[in-house]
Amino acid sequence: RPLMKKTSLLFAATLFAAPAFAQDECSTAVALAAATPTTFDTTLATASPTLWPCAAGGGPDIWYTFTTTQLADVEVSTCNNATYDTAIEIFSGDCNNLLPLVCNDDGGGCAGFTSIATAPSVPSGTNLFIRIGGFNGASGTGTVELTESAPFVCTPDSFEDNDDCLSAVAISDGTYPGLTVSESDNDYFSLTVPDGGTLDA
């Protein structure tokens, strides 16, 4: 009977899977070192489910962590260092309970709508989560830098303690030099203006 030639065919199948983006979610955030410019790229990132309070809904984002080493003002900046309209948000807490501290879309004086976000007076040992995204879906590349600095301490002036309405200091017409101004220390004053009078401060 005729011989039948058997041919074995081997098929090699290769499965290609897109690599997981290392810091695409809060749970996979990577540590950000203070005073160390770090390059980033959000073009392959996805948008996290946590809503943005700024940046018109935000855009694809990546995540970093940082733990404060002192009572500090923590500034995170992409100012003048990104190819697109960035946004930055800083949180405390943990990934299951993120507590928003500050969100910035456009930093003052920053070109290209880049960003500066500052969380003031963060206690030592606080673990922060930082996400970098974009305005209204924007993505791109850039450099981020974190700065940890001792917070400004308001030196009491001659009118202290007048930090609330109940302790407002009565003043009259005149000039009052030597006052200390700080965004973390309100000062209250009271002044009686006669009927029909005007007040210039």
Side-chain angles (χ1 to χ4, degrees), residues 160-177:
E160 297 287 354
D161 178 22
N162 59 330
D163 294 334
D164 56 50
C165 185
L166 294 177
S167 60
V169 173
I171 59 174
S172 58
D173 274 0
T175 301
Y176 298 88

Side-chain angles (χ1 to χ4, degrees), residues 77-100:
S77 173
T78 61
C79 187
N80 301 327
N81 278 313
T83 62
Y84 72 108
D85 187 347
T86 59
I88 300 170
E89 188 168 15
I90 303 175
F91 303 84
S92 61
D94 58 52
C95 290
N96 294 319
N97 186 31
L98 290 169
L99 304 175

Side-chain angles (χ1 to χ4, degrees), residues 3 15 20-21 27 44 52 73 113 121 129 135 150 158 171 189:
L3 297 176
L15 299 178
F21 202 65
S27 59
L44 297 179
W52 287 82
D73 293 339
F113 305 107
S121 300
F129 289 90
F135 177 82
S158 58
I171 59 174
F189 301 90

Side-chain angles (χ1 to χ4, degrees), residues 90 104 109 143:
I90 303 175
N104 180 265
T143 299

